[in-house]
Amino acid sequence: MCETCTTDLATTNAMRERAVSGTPDGQGRAPGATLPTVTERDVEPSAPPLGAGAGAPCPGSGAPPGAVPADYRAAFHAARLAMAVVDREGRVLDANPALGALLGTDPALLATRTAAELAGLREDPRTWTEYREVLCGRRARLCCTRRLQHSDGHALWAEITVEPAADSRGMLLSMADISDRRDLQGRLRHLQMHDPVTRLPNRHLFFERLASALESAAYDQEGTGRIGLCYLDLDGFKAVNDTLGHRVGDRLLGAVAQRLAECAAPGGHLVARLGGDEFALLVRNSTGTEELCELARTVLAALQRPFDVVGQRLSVSASIGVVERPAAGTHTTWLMQAADTTLYWAKEDGKARWTLFDPERNAHRMTRQALSSTLRPAVEREEFVLDYQPLVGLVDGVVRGVEALVRWDHPQFGRLSPNRFVPLAEENGAIVQLGRWVLRTACHQASAWYRANPRRPLVVSVNVAVRQVWDSDLVADVGAILQETGLPPHLLQLELTESAVMGSAGRPLQALQRLSDMGVAIAIDDFGTGYSNLAYLSRLPVSTLKLDGSFVQGFRTAEHPNPADETIVEALVQLAHRLGLTVTAECVESAEQAERLGRIGCDTGQGWFYSRPVPPDRIQAMIATPRAS
């Protein structure tokens, strides 16, 4: 105990001994009159400070020396605020009737107890430390809120204050019953933190509990230190609102919430509505992914049972994203992003299912996002290059043309093939800018080859995305580039996928027709794998069909041929020739394939048997020879 506390304790004990013996204390107090040390500053603002002698006049009262002071004991006992006088050891010296009424006991019995026991100050380590600092004089005041127990068993909330008395020889403990205020605050908080439709915790309370779970898991030695989350979204719920109205939709959400609560009840998991038709189940102290997966299976099975809502029998399904991991090092934002991503996977994979978070798949998604966001700047920085793959005559082996294939020399991921970034470019619209660059670069290169070898001109084939037709003036772009590079139009071939051109009408068909009128060749890429609407072949300005490589696979060896593939290819070749079209076979990988494809009438072949995609200077060497190397 500090030196100040020891001195004050000795003084207090001496006062108690004089009061018991009936000896005056030298200041005019009668025997047993130690309680005038209680101050009633809130009741009597003009009262003199504690410790003023009985003979000392009240300041400003005009009373002569030796007059009898006001009866502070009467004010103390009549006060409606529950109070007690406490010594520097924390022992209760006296308690007023209001304190006895608050705790449901005789105030005289409280003098045998300590303030910490009465106010529950030991229950919280921080409060206990601050209370001891007040007793020792290192802290001016303690104010806290504690949950106390009435003698009849009911609980009450009290705002507790402990501060030194004015004479510095004791402490004044006061308690104010704030149970009604706490109840009101609790009801208001419940309304604020719960969804009115489902009565489940709302988004605010969920994130509060989630943050608390992540924080406490790091210090809970008895827990597993892991956390799990099932994040679900109802499939097709919007249709219920649109067709049956929001009243039925709200009733359905309430029924769904009830079933989710039943699924979570055995494990005591938190269920919350995050908004719309999105719900979350939080699993604290998870035992592993199997627990989360089992919970997801239970939820799916529960929601697959029909709902009877306002006379309607409704069926819904849900897609669930499941995340389970150690709580240490996990942030709320990351966990929700992972859950949202996994929920998206579940919907992408077909809905009405649950999907477990996959770090490798997520890394691929993050890479896609990084590539997508840097595509346009990469075109401006000229990070792309073109390789060329020969188109070779199947009968004579002469290089007739080349297909331009774009690569991305990424500063972080290295050289990327088209399948890594072209779909992304088509999604975000960067394909228009990229496609224009590819077209211009390929035409410049083809023009250079043409000037160097005018007797053996090469057709350069460039892939065009359907979005380039819709989102840009492809005809104007081609015309300007041909004029800029000086490439004859008949040496340019534009490749569009079968799904892009089949069924074309309006602007796409008009653009293709105008390009054909300019002399530019049009080829259908990957033919045989899309719509295969043969009626359009007679209406489109197409000059070449490029058979998909899946048909060529049946031509790998003469010992094990695939008769069906050969029959289909032969029929397609005959049909194309009757329509005045040439046929190119893709993915030719062996001499046997090339020989058999040539025998049934294919005009040109493309594949590794002839050459992999190579830089422009390698193509120049091939032009100088009569056959592809």
Side-chain angles (χ1 to χ4, degrees):
M1 183 179 298
C2 64
E3 183 178 352
T4 303
C5 294
T6 306
T7 305
D8 288 345
L9 177 60
T11 304
T12 303
N13 290 336
M15 290 171 58
R16 187 179 298 161
E17 291 174 1
R18 286 194 294 268
V20 173
S21 64
T23 303
D25 62 357
Q27 295 181 349
R29 293 192 180 95
T34 59
L35 281 179
T37 58
V38 177
T39 181
E40 190 65 37
R41 288 171 293 181
D42 295 335
V43 179
E44 297 288 340
S46 61
L50 292 177
C58 296
S61 67
V68 179
D71 190 354
Y72 292 107
R73 173 178 289 277
F76 174 74
H77 284 279
R80 305 176 76 178
L81 178 65
M83 295 184 293
V85 179
V86 181
D87 64 17
R88 290 286 177 165
E89 283 293 314
R91 294 187 293 263
V92 176
L93 300 178
D94 196 8
N96 69 351
L99 182 60
L102 179 67
L103 299 178
T105 187
D106 185 349
L109 299 178
L110 298 178
T112 62
R113 301 170 66 181
T114 65
E117 180 185 358
L118 291 181
L121 301 179
R122 289 182 179 270
E123 296 177 6
D124 177 44
R126 180 177 179 179
T127 302
W128 172 242
T129 300
E130 293 178 356
Y131 170 63
R132 294 176 65 186
E133 290 178 349
V134 172
L135 292 181
C136 292
R138 291 194 296 269
R139 187 181 184 91
R141 188 170 184 262
L142 168 67
C143 185
C144 63
T145 301
R146 306 301 300 168
R147 188 172 184 269
L148 306 180
Q149 197 78 18
H150 193 274
S151 61
D152 65 5
H154 80 268
L156 60 96
W157 285 92
E159 186 175 79
I160 299 169
T161 304
V162 180
E163 56 187 336
D167 64 354
S168 299
R169 284 179 284 179
M171 312 298 296
L172 184 63
L173 167 71
S174 62
M175 297 186 188
D177 188 351
I178 59 169
S179 298
D180 292 342
R181 187 172 74 189
R182 289 279 300 199
D183 290 344
L184 177 59
Q185 290 175 341
R187 288 194 294 272
L188 292 176
R189 175 175 169 79
H190 187 274
L191 291 174
Q192 181 185 8
M193 294 295 187
H194 286 75
D195 173 54
V197 175
T198 63
R199 299 184 180 181
L200 291 176
N202 62 15
R203 189 178 190 89
H204 297 289
L205 183 55
F206 171 78
F207 278 101
E208 183 179 292
R209 296 283 181 83
L210 176 58
S212 175
L214 291 174
E215 182 179 358
S216 61
Y219 303 99
D220 187 1
Q221 301 297 327
E222 298 180 358
T224 63
R226 303 185 69 86
I227 194 165
L229 180 63
C230 288
Y231 185 29
L232 67 94
D233 177 272
L234 300 182
D235 300 324
F237 176 75
K238 184 178 183 298
V240 176
N241 275 341
D242 293 344
T243 58
L244 302 178
H246 288 272
R247 175 172 171 267
V248 176
D250 287 349
R251 293 288 186 88
L252 177 59
L253 289 175
V256 168
Q258 183 176 354
R259 291 195 186 176
L260 293 178
E262 293 171 355
C263 294
H269 310 312
L270 173 71
V271 184
R273 182 190 179 196
L274 301 189
D277 57 343
E278 296 179 357
F279 297 84
L281 291 84
L282 178 64
V283 179
R284 301 183 61 168
N285 290 317
S286 165
T287 58
T289 56
E290 183 54 39
E291 180 183 4
L292 270 296
C293 295
E294 181 60 33
L295 178 60
R297 284 190 286 265
T298 302
V299 168
L300 280 181
L303 296 183
Q304 285 175 354
R305 301 195 307 269
F307 293 85
D308 294 319
V309 180
V310 195
Q312 301 281 343
R313 191 168 181 81
L314 304 176
S315 296
V316 296
S317 62
S319 301
I320 308 177
V322 180
V323 183
E324 199 279 340
R325 62 170 288 111
T330 300
H331 191 271
T332 301
T333 303
W334 182 94
L335 189 66
M336 291 308 300
Q337 286 179 344
D340 185 64
T341 299
T342 312
L343 173 60
Y344 172 77
W345 294 342
K347 286 189 172 295
E348 188 180 44
D349 294 343
K351 300 182 179 180
R353 67 188 63 231
W354 60 269
T355 301
L356 184 64
F357 179 75
D358 181 0
E360 184 176 346
R361 186 175 180 180
N362 185 61
H364 178 69
R365 182 188 68 88
M366 297 295 290
T367 302
R368 280 175 53 90
Q369 179 60 34
L371 295 178
S372 178
S373 61
T374 56
L375 261 169
R376 296 179 188 273
V379 176
E380 298 172 0
R381 292 192 296 265
E382 298 185 352
E383 294 179 359
F384 295 91
V385 296
L386 291 184
D387 283 342
Y388 299 87
Q389 189 170 32
L391 302 174
V392 180
L394 287 169
V395 176
D396 56 14
V398 176
V399 177
R400 305 290 177 82
V402 292
E403 179 180 356
L405 300 171
V406 64
R407 274 66 171 131
W408 186 358
D409 280 340
H410 196 281
Q412 179 181 356
F413 302 113
R415 176 159 289 197
L416 303 178
S417 59
N419 64 319
R420 292 288 302 276
F421 58 86
V422 168
L424 299 178
E426 292 177 344
E427 290 175 9
N428 64 17
I431 191 66
V432 175
Q433 182 182 5
L434 177 60
R436 189 178 293 120
W437 179 89
V438 170
L439 182 62
R440 176 177 285 107
T441 305
C443 287
H444 272 289
Q445 183 59 62
S447 180
W449 286 329
Y450 176 67
R451 291 192 302 271
N453 300 276
R455 294 183 180 181
R456 299 190 59 190
L458 290 181
V459 174
V460 63
S461 192
V462 179
N463 291 280
V464 176
V466 66
R467 191 161 183 173
Q468 290 178 256
V469 183
W470 282 105
D471 295 356
S472 67
D473 192 343
L474 181 62
V475 177
D477 288 344
V478 171
I481 291 173
L482 289 177
Q483 184 176 6
E484 172 189 331
T485 60
L487 181 69
H490 70 277
L491 295 183
L492 174 62
Q493 177 174 271
L494 301 181
E495 294 187 17
L496 290 90
T497 61
E498 182 181 352
S499 59
V501 299
M502 290 303 178
S504 294
R507 182 177 176 181
L509 180 58
Q510 294 172 5
L512 294 179
Q513 188 61 59
R514 291 174 60 189
L515 288 169
S516 179
D517 294 342
M518 290 170 54
V520 176
I522 306 296
I524 299 178
D525 195 15
D526 300 328
F527 186 78
T529 59
Y531 298 126
S532 299
N533 191 337
L534 301 179
Y536 280 94
L537 289 179
S538 62
R539 305 174 192 173
L540 293 172
V542 177
S543 59
T544 301
L545 298 182
K546 297 189 71 173
L547 298 182
D548 186 74
S550 58
F551 293 111
V552 180
Q553 290 180 356
F555 291 76
R556 285 185 175 179
T557 61
E559 294 80 10
H560 302 285
N562 188 328
D565 284 347
E566 186 165 347
T567 301
I568 292 173
V569 171
E570 186 174 4
L572 291 175
V573 170
Q574 292 178 2
L575 174 63
H577 285 170
R578 290 188 179 185
L579 294 174
L581 309 178
T582 61
V583 179
T584 298
E586 298 181 303
C587 300
V588 179
E589 298 179 357
S590 67
E592 290 84 1
Q593 288 176 319
E595 190 274 329
R596 292 174 64 194
L597 287 167
R599 188 171 63 246
I600 63 176
C602 280
D603 300 291
T604 55
Q606 176 182 357
W608 287 3
F609 171 65
Y610 298 108
S611 174
R612 293 174 180 266
V614 294
D617 56 341
R618 296 282 302 278
I619 298 297
Q620 180 63 43
M622 295 180 187
I623 299 175
T625 61
R627 304 180 67 89
S629 57

